[in-house]
Amino acid sequence: MVRLRSVALAALPIFLCDAFEYYTFDGPGFPSCHNISKVYNATSVDDIVSIVKSAIKADSQVRASGKGHMWYDTQCSDDSTVLIRTEDVNGIYNFSLPKGATEGSVVVDGGVSFFQLAEYLHERGASVGYTLTNWNISFGGSVAMGAHRSSLREHSMVAAGALALDIIDGQGNIRHIERDNSNDEWLAASTSLGLLGIIARIRLQIYPDTKLYAKQDTLDESAVLNGDIYGLIAPYATANFWWWPYKRKFHHRYYDVVPADSTPQQGFQNTFSLTSIEGIAARTLLDSGKYLATSNMLAEEIFFGLWSKPNFHEKTNNTEIAEWPVYGWNYDVLIGGLYPDQLPEWDYDLHGLTLELAFPVTMANQMLKRVRKLFDAELAKGIVMTSTYRSGINIKFGKPYYDFLGQVTYNTSDGADWSKGAIMFDFPSYRPTIGDHKRFNEPFYPKLAKTLIDEFPCRPHWTKNSREVLKMSAKNLDPSHIRRFKAVRQQFDPNGIYRSVVGEILGLY
Ligand SMILES: Cc1cc2nc3c(=O)[nH]c(=O)nc-3n(C[C@H](O)[C@H](O)[C@H](O)COP(=O)(O)OP(=O)(O)OC[C@H]3O[C@@H](n4cnc5c(N)ncnc54)[C@H](O)[C@@H]3O)c2cc1C
Ligand SMILES: *[C@@H]1O[C@H](CO)[C@@H](O)[C@H](O)[C@H]1NC(C)=O
Ligand SMILES: *[C@@H]1O[C@H](CO)[C@@H](O)[C@H](O)[C@H]1NC(C)=O
Ligand SMILES: *[C@@H]1O[C@H](CO)[C@@H](O)[C@H](O)[C@H]1NC(C)=O
Ligand SMILES: *[C@@H]1O[C@H](CO)[C@@H](O)[C@H](O)[C@H]1NC(C)=O
Ligand SMILES: *[C@@H]1O[C@H](CO)[C@@H](O)[C@H](O)[C@H]1NC(C)=O
Ligand SMILES: *[C@@H]1O[C@H](CO)[C@@H](O)[C@H](O)[C@H]1NC(C)=O
């Protein structure tokens, strides 16, 4: 963390002198907040309560911080804020999955990460099913921000796996809220954006552990753009596409359950780890792609080739798995983690920007064709657009799940049919380490966002969009959802101590 303007402001009050930036997982140069006065490593729920109470006395803003796995400077407001890190508030309690039961529950503190709970549950023959995000992310941060995996058949919003929440409100009191769709408090808390308070504990639904297969096919672009997209995704426990726009191909990935005794394989997935040779080669090529379309074309060719093979190792001896389908335990196959001898890509200075919007799945073909038309319009000008991300453009899906601010809610005033679920367009792109850090053909990206937001009833992911994109998308949200959310917010946090840029953009203050 750097101290901003500490010399220039030396004569001003202490809280100004000490304002510093806080960074996302991407580190320096990638602020999530601009005006932090202090960061606390809380050690327990009671500790969080006492830090919140002292911040209230000091008239300071407060936000929780999980694992920093967000992309933009939208975590806090721009006013002086105290951050409370939850990483060390990570107890797991009251595991219950009686023998023979089809479901049970467990209570986690807000700072528990997916891999921590997965290991704990696997040792006890259980899993959280499909309500997942990536490995080094906290449950508190995921539930707060409406994070999700990809499925039309099964619930895959992390919040959909929550049965009850304990939230530390704006007065420092702990409020317990049980799942109850007839209660506006629950419908607001389910995707709260951290605006009701700090999620201290979550009671989660769990299931007996299962083995899964993972399989992947390569499809021609036209087979998806003109195909039965719903039919390619809905049959599976979880499924998604990765789009390679220069290659005009899609990878179609899908997963489902197999009998646990049907295979000895223990596949372990990796989406983000690289060897240092791969990391340096990718950075060199992608940096030159800031100026040269041919570098981006070569990069997409290489990434596509690598991504066609299973990105799995055998967990027991870390050897590569060469053939689809791959089999293994639920969490290892769906998420996995880092290979023992590798680092995540951001540790090699490979960073991305992204954009994620959700559309009614009934408009899936129309939306993807619109994006293709925008790519082709660039091509007509002689500009080749590509995916500059190692796994292509991520196309995910979501089963409908009702709350006020979730990406897959339904029954909204836009009149769109969200009842079949949503398709998410998640377009990560390489941010060059050189020059002004602007991407190849930078103006294309805001134009793409604006076109989609203006032409479709789409909704933003709450941590994968810039302030500008959030501002543009606010008009697509249901005013009655905003109003009912705000009423609950005013009740939980009357003085707005948990305010964030996202909440401000939505008009909740
Ligand atoms: C590599 C990577 C992969 C990802 N994969 C997915 C994915 O598959 N699907 C998906 O939907 N998202 C994904 N994300 C986004 C991620 O799930 C969200 O950004 C999530 O909010 C990050 O949680 P965190 O614990 O890192 O929290 P942070 O990044 O620290 O915080 C995120 C926001 O949540 C708030 N917050 C954190 N903890 C709490 C709490 N206990 N109570 C209240 N508010 C809180 C913070 O104030 C902040 O506004 C991914 C991100 C990365 C970097
Ligand atoms: C909080 O924990 C982080 C990560 O372990 C560490 O880098 C930081 O120095 C700690 N801060 C304080 C004030 O102890
Ligand atoms: C998870 O994130 C923390 C930061 O909160 C970091 O210290 C740790 O190294 C990460 N673990 C992995 C496996 O990436
Ligand atoms: C931080 O917020 C305070 C108000 O809380 C404001 O006066 C100050 O200008 C802000 N500083 C920065 C660096 O934004
Ligand atoms: C665990 O269960 C006991 C008994 O029902 C309850 O009193 C306690 O509050 C629970 N613990 C947590 C952290 O939810
Ligand atoms: C790794 O383990 C798998 C599964 O047990 C086995 O088939 C394979 O031969 C092992 N490879 C090595 C190099 O030990
Ligand atoms: C849908 O909205 C209508 C009108 O606001 C309401 O009466 C109905 O209960 C809602 N249905 C669900 C499932 O929320």
Side-chain angles (χ1 to χ4, degrees):
M1 291 162 217
V2 288
R3 289 183 168 223
L4 290 179
R5 300 190 234 157
S6 54
V7 176
L9 296 178
L12 295 171
I14 291 296
F15 74 91
L16 276 183
C17 304
D18 281 350
F20 53 84
E21 288 187 327
Y22 193 75
Y23 305 127
T24 70
F25 72 114
D26 274 315
F30 299 86
S32 63
C33 306
H34 295 288
N35 198 347
I36 297 302
S37 61
K38 191 153 168 59
V39 180
Y40 292 91
N41 288 332
T43 53
S44 66
V45 171
D46 289 345
D47 194 24
I48 301 180
V49 167
S50 73
I51 299 167
V52 167
K53 286 187 169 157
S54 69
I56 293 168
K57 281 210 191 87
D59 210 13
S60 175
Q61 297 285 300
V62 186
R63 289 292 296 183
S65 172
K67 298 287 193 173
H69 273 48
M70 59 183 298
W71 268 263
Y72 292 100
D73 58 345
T74 56
Q75 174 167 12
C76 302
S77 71
D78 289 333
D79 287 332
S80 184
T81 302
V82 159
L83 275 186
I84 304 179
R85 295 182 73 245
T86 61
E87 191 161 83
D88 300 333
V89 186
N90 61 19
I92 302 176
Y93 317 89
N94 288 7
F95 172 85
S96 163
L97 183 65
K99 222 176 156 50
T102 55
E103 49 189 57
S105 67
V106 68
V107 178
V108 298
D109 285 341
V112 168
S113 69
F114 283 90
F115 65 29
Q116 188 193 342
L117 183 65
E119 199 174 298
Y120 176 99
L121 292 180
H122 179 65
E123 283 167 6
R124 291 160 180 79
S127 83
V128 292
Y130 309 103
T131 51
L132 294 167
T133 63
N134 242 287
W135 83 97
N136 202 6
I137 295 179
S138 73
F139 274 90
S142 299
V143 170
M145 304 313 288
H148 54 81
R149 197 183 158 82
S150 179
S151 179
L152 288 171
R153 192 185 86 188
E154 308 289 338
H155 279 301
S156 67
M157 286 268 295
V158 179
L163 299 169
L165 298 169
D166 284 350
I167 296 184
I168 301 168
D169 71 14
Q171 251 108 38
N173 300 316
I174 301 182
R175 301 207 194 193
H176 181 80
I177 310 157
E178 296 272 332
R179 168 174 295 284
D180 173 5
N181 275 9
S182 66
N183 178 357
D184 276 18
E185 288 189 4
W186 171 261
L187 295 174
S190 163
T191 303
S192 67
L193 312 182
L195 303 177
L196 304 187
I198 297 178
I199 299 173
R201 293 186 202 97
I202 308 159
R203 193 167 84 240
L204 291 165
Q205 180 113 58
I206 57 171
Y207 309 91
D209 207 359
T210 51
K211 273 202 158 179
L212 301 179
Y213 72 83
K215 178 118 171 44
Q216 182 172 287
D217 302 326
T218 301
L219 303 174
D220 283 335
E221 189 179 276
S222 60
V224 175
L225 265 51
N226 302 311
D228 174 11
I229 292 174
Y230 188 89
L232 284 164
I233 301 296
Y236 304 104
T238 145
N240 68 290
F241 294 121
W242 285 293
W243 189 4
W244 304 92
Y246 166 64
K247 301 277 302 167
R248 294 180 189 259
K249 298 279 184 197
F250 277 83
H251 282 133
H252 175 216
R253 176 72 68 88
Y254 45 101
Y255 306 80
D256 221 325
V257 177
V258 293
D261 57 4
S262 63
T263 166
Q265 195 175 50
Q266 292 193 49
F268 182 81
Q269 175 158 213
N270 141 51
T271 316
F272 300 104
S273 59
L274 293 175
T275 64
S276 74
I277 292 173
E278 290 167 338
I280 292 162
R283 196 174 66 227
T284 308
L285 185 60
L286 290 170
D287 273 343
S288 74
K290 174 173 171 55
Y291 306 107
L292 296 174
T294 46
S295 297
N296 297 332
M297 290 146 70
L298 177 61
E300 196 184 295
E301 196 71 65
I302 294 170
F303 293 153
F304 173 82
L306 292 171
W307 210 251
S308 297
K309 296 188 285 189
N311 56 325
F312 289 81
H313 283 186
E314 165 65 41
K315 194 178 190 179
T316 53
N317 57 19
N318 195 31
T319 52
E320 260 180 71
I321 294 175
E323 278 174 34
W324 300 108
V326 174
Y327 302 93
W329 290 104
N330 174 295
Y331 186 81
D332 291 345
V333 169
L334 294 175
I335 302 283
L338 290 177
Y339 297 150
D341 45 354
Q342 301 190 359
L343 291 174
E345 53 197 21
W346 44 92
D347 285 354
Y348 299 108
D349 218 8
L350 290 160
H351 302 291
L353 297 170
T354 195
L355 162 82
E356 183 184 317
L357 300 169
F359 305 77
V361 72
T362 51
M363 304 179 97
N365 299 80
Q366 194 186 335
M367 181 274 287
L368 294 176
K369 283 180 183 172
R370 187 68 184 96
V371 177
R372 168 42 73 198
K373 207 169 144 194
L374 289 166
F375 285 139
D376 286 347
E378 298 304 299
L379 198 57
K381 294 187 272 177
I383 303 173
V384 183
M385 292 306 293
T386 68
S387 166
T388 50
Y389 199 67
R390 71 185 296 206
S391 51
I393 301 174
N394 200 349
I395 310 289
K396 290 178 275 193
F397 297 84
K399 176 175 165 143
Y401 169 78
Y402 192 73
D403 62 11
F404 291 148
L405 297 181
Q407 265 187 311
V408 293
T409 196
Y410 52 95
N411 204 19
T412 43
S413 61
D414 56 14
D417 181 9
W418 295 90
S419 69
K420 305 282 184 304
I423 179 171
M424 286 87 165
F425 178 79
D426 175 8
F427 189 9
S429 51
Y430 182 69
R431 178 186 182 273
T433 62
I434 54 175
D436 60 4
H437 305 297
K438 295 256 191 300
R439 293 163 285 189
F440 174 80
N441 196 19
E442 179 69 36
F444 176 76
Y445 293 93
K447 185 167 68 191
L448 169 71
K450 184 169 186 334
T451 305
L452 293 176
I453 292 165
D454 288 348
E455 295 183 10
F456 292 88
C458 60
R459 302 171 180 153
H461 187 290
W462 296 117
T463 65
K464 293 187 169 186
N465 291 296
S466 64
R467 294 182 178 199
E468 292 68 35
V469 169
L470 293 174
K471 279 180 198 150
M472 285 193 280
S473 354
K475 62 173 179 284
N476 288 347
L477 299 171
D478 185 329
S480 78
H481 282 202
I482 299 283
R483 184 172 38 74
R484 286 164 72 187
F485 183 92
K486 183 173 175 178
V488 177
R489 197 282 295 161
Q490 282 168 330
Q491 223 254 316
F492 272 62
D493 182 25
N495 300 319
I497 67 165
Y498 295 111
R499 180 161 46 90
S500 71
V501 163
V502 181
E504 289 168 349
I505 289 172
L506 293 181
L508 295 167
Y509 294 91

PDB file of all heavy atoms in Angstrom, residues 208-220:
ATOM      1  N   PRO A 208     -24.245 -34.822   0.464  1.00  0.00           N
ATOM      2  CA  PRO A 208     -23.210 -35.864   0.443  1.00  0.00           C
ATOM      3  C   PRO A 208     -22.247 -35.587  -0.723  1.00  0.00           C
ATOM      4  O   PRO A 208     -22.672 -35.128  -1.785  1.00  0.00           O
ATOM      5  CB  PRO A 208     -23.996 -37.152   0.190  1.00  0.00           C
ATOM      6  CG  PRO A 208     -25.403 -36.848   0.596  1.00  0.00           C
ATOM      7  CD  PRO A 208     -25.606 -35.385   0.308  1.00  0.00           C
ATOM      8  N   ASP A 209     -20.961 -35.819  -0.513  1.00  0.00           N
ATOM      9  CA  ASP A 209     -19.967 -35.592  -1.562  1.00  0.00           C
ATOM     10  C   ASP A 209     -20.266 -36.508  -2.749  1.00  0.00           C
ATOM     11  O   ASP A 209     -20.814 -37.604  -2.578  1.00  0.00           O
ATOM     12  CB  ASP A 209     -18.563 -35.903  -1.019  1.00  0.00           C
ATOM     13  CG  ASP A 209     -17.476 -35.119  -1.748  1.00  0.00           C
ATOM     14  OD1 ASP A 209     -17.795 -34.363  -2.678  1.00  0.00           O
ATOM     15  OD2 ASP A 209     -16.301 -35.271  -1.359  1.00  0.00           O
ATOM     16  N   THR A 210     -19.916 -36.045  -3.938  1.00  0.00           N
ATOM     17  CA  THR A 210     -20.137 -36.867  -5.127  1.00  0.00           C
ATOM     18  C   THR A 210     -18.883 -36.842  -5.982  1.00  0.00           C
ATOM     19  O   THR A 210     -18.075 -35.926  -5.880  1.00  0.00           O
ATOM     20  CB  THR A 210     -21.271 -36.285  -6.004  1.00  0.00           C
ATOM     21  OG1 THR A 210     -20.999 -34.904  -6.220  1.00  0.00           O
ATOM     22  CG2 THR A 210     -22.617 -36.459  -5.349  1.00  0.00           C
ATOM     23  N   LYS A 211     -18.782 -37.846  -6.838  1.00  0.00           N
ATOM     24  CA  LYS A 211     -17.791 -37.760  -7.908  1.00  0.00           C
ATOM     25  C   LYS A 211     -18.490 -37.222  -9.153  1.00  0.00           C
ATOM     26  O   LYS A 211     -19.693 -37.445  -9.360  1.00  0.00           O
ATOM     27  CB  LYS A 211     -17.157 -39.116  -8.160  1.00  0.00           C
ATOM     28  CG  LYS A 211     -15.946 -39.340  -7.236  1.00  0.00           C
ATOM     29  CD  LYS A 211     -14.990 -40.371  -7.771  1.00  0.00           C
ATOM     30  CE  LYS A 211     -13.611 -40.179  -7.147  1.00  0.00           C
ATOM     31  NZ  LYS A 211     -12.654 -41.187  -7.624  1.00  0.00           N
ATOM     32  N   LEU A 212     -17.726 -36.507  -9.964  1.00  0.00           N
ATOM     33  CA  LEU A 212     -18.265 -35.905 -11.177  1.00  0.00           C
ATOM     34  C   LEU A 212     -17.385 -36.268 -12.362  1.00  0.00           C
ATOM     35  O   LEU A 212     -16.212 -36.588 -12.180  1.00  0.00           O
ATOM     36  CB  LEU A 212     -18.257 -34.378 -11.086  1.00  0.00           C
ATOM     37  CG  LEU A 212     -19.015 -33.695  -9.963  1.00  0.00           C
ATOM     38  CD1 LEU A 212     -18.831 -32.183 -10.081  1.00  0.00           C
ATOM     39  CD2 LEU A 212     -20.498 -34.025 -10.026  1.00  0.00           C
ATOM     40  N   TYR A 213     -17.956 -36.172 -13.545  1.00  0.00           N
ATOM     41  CA  TYR A 213     -17.111 -36.145 -14.737  1.00  0.00           C
ATOM     42  C   TYR A 213     -17.090 -34.717 -15.270  1.00  0.00           C
ATOM     43  O   TYR A 213     -18.033 -33.953 -15.040  1.00  0.00           O
ATOM     44  CB  TYR A 213     -17.606 -37.103 -15.835  1.00  0.00           C
ATOM     45  CG  TYR A 213     -18.871 -36.645 -16.538  1.00  0.00           C
ATOM     46  CD1 TYR A 213     -18.821 -35.720 -17.585  1.00  0.00           C
ATOM     47  CD2 TYR A 213     -20.112 -37.152 -16.174  1.00  0.00           C
ATOM     48  CE1 TYR A 213     -19.976 -35.299 -18.233  1.00  0.00           C
ATOM     49  CE2 TYR A 213     -21.275 -36.737 -16.814  1.00  0.00           C
ATOM     50  CZ  TYR A 213     -21.201 -35.808 -17.841  1.00  0.00           C
ATOM     51  OH  TYR A 213     -22.346 -35.387 -18.472  1.00  0.00           O
ATOM     52  N   ALA A 214     -16.028 -34.368 -15.965  1.00  0.00           N
ATOM     53  CA  ALA A 214     -15.955 -33.118 -16.717  1.00  0.00           C
ATOM     54  C   ALA A 214     -15.649 -33.493 -18.153  1.00  0.00           C
ATOM     55  O   ALA A 214     -14.759 -34.305 -18.408  1.00  0.00           O
ATOM     56  CB  ALA A 214     -14.848 -32.224 -16.178  1.00  0.00           C
ATOM     57  N   LYS A 215     -16.415 -32.925 -19.070  1.00  0.00           N
ATOM     58  CA  LYS A 215     -16.176 -33.228 -20.483  1.00  0.00           C
ATOM     59  C   LYS A 215     -16.211 -31.928 -21.261  1.00  0.00           C
ATOM     60  O   LYS A 215     -16.868 -30.970 -20.853  1.00  0.00           O
ATOM     61  CB  LYS A 215     -17.262 -34.197 -20.962  1.00  0.00           C
ATOM     62  CG  LYS A 215     -17.186 -34.578 -22.420  1.00  0.00           C
ATOM     63  CD  LYS A 215     -16.949 -36.079 -22.591  1.00  0.00           C
ATOM     64  CE  LYS A 215     -17.079 -36.524 -24.054  1.00  0.00           C
ATOM     65  NZ  LYS A 215     -16.433 -35.664 -25.050  1.00  0.00           N
ATOM     66  N   GLN A 216     -15.493 -31.904 -22.373  1.00  0.00           N
ATOM     67  CA  GLN A 216     -15.474 -30.686 -23.187  1.00  0.00           C
ATOM     68  C   GLN A 216     -15.470 -31.029 -24.668  1.00  0.00           C
ATOM     69  O   GLN A 216     -14.726 -31.910 -25.094  1.00  0.00           O
ATOM     70  CB  GLN A 216     -14.220 -29.865 -22.856  1.00  0.00           C
ATOM     71  CG  GLN A 216     -14.130 -28.557 -23.620  1.00  0.00           C
ATOM     72  CD  GLN A 216     -12.988 -27.708 -23.129  1.00  0.00           C
ATOM     73  OE1 GLN A 216     -13.067 -27.147 -22.039  1.00  0.00           O
ATOM     74  NE2 GLN A 216     -11.914 -27.621 -23.888  1.00  0.00           N
ATOM     75  N   ASP A 217     -16.327 -30.331 -25.414  1.00  0.00           N
ATOM     76  CA  ASP A 217     -16.354 -30.472 -26.862  1.00  0.00           C
ATOM     77  C   ASP A 217     -16.010 -29.124 -27.497  1.00  0.00           C
ATOM     78  O   ASP A 217     -16.203 -28.082 -26.881  1.00  0.00           O
ATOM     79  CB  ASP A 217     -17.758 -30.873 -27.348  1.00  0.00           C
ATOM     80  CG  ASP A 217     -18.234 -32.171 -26.708  1.00  0.00           C
ATOM     81  OD1 ASP A 217     -17.391 -33.047 -26.457  1.00  0.00           O
ATOM     82  OD2 ASP A 217     -19.451 -32.282 -26.443  1.00  0.00           O
ATOM     83  N   THR A 218     -15.555 -29.190 -28.744  1.00  0.00           N
ATOM     84  CA  THR A 218     -15.311 -27.963 -29.503  1.00  0.00           C
ATOM     85  C   THR A 218     -16.402 -27.830 -30.553  1.00  0.00           C
ATOM     86  O   THR A 218     -16.697 -28.785 -31.276  1.00  0.00           O
ATOM     87  CB  THR A 218     -13.929 -28.021 -30.185  1.00  0.00           C
ATOM     88  OG1 THR A 218     -12.946 -28.181 -29.165  1.00  0.00           O
ATOM     89  CG2 THR A 218     -13.642 -26.750 -30.963  1.00  0.00           C
ATOM     90  N   LEU A 219     -17.023 -26.658 -30.598  1.00  0.00           N
ATOM     91  CA  LEU A 219     -18.120 -26.427 -31.543  1.00  0.00           C
ATOM     92  C   LEU A 219     -17.766 -25.267 -32.468  1.00  0.00           C
ATOM     93  O   LEU A 219     -17.070 -24.335 -32.063  1.00  0.00           O
ATOM     94  CB  LEU A 219     -19.409 -26.071 -30.788  1.00  0.00           C
ATOM     95  CG  LEU A 219     -19.903 -27.074 -29.746  1.00  0.00           C
ATOM     96  CD1 LEU A 219     -21.108 -26.507 -28.995  1.00  0.00           C
ATOM     97  CD2 LEU A 219     -20.281 -28.397 -30.408  1.00  0.00           C
ATOM     98  N   ASP A 220     -18.273 -25.341 -33.702  1.00  0.00           N
ATOM     99  CA  ASP A 220     -18.132 -24.185 -34.586  1.00  0.00           C
ATOM    100  C   ASP A 220     -19.003 -23.054 -34.067  1.00  0.00           C
ATOM    101  O   ASP A 220     -20.079 -23.297 -33.514  1.00  0.00           O
ATOM    102  CB  ASP A 220     -18.592 -24.551 -36.008  1.00  0.00           C
ATOM    103  CG  ASP A 220     -17.533 -25.375 -36.718  1.00  0.00           C
ATOM    104  OD1 ASP A 220     -16.345 -25.262 -36.342  1.00  0.00           O
ATOM    105  OD2 ASP A 220     -17.905 -26.143 -37.621  1.00  0.00           O
TER     106      ASP A 220
END
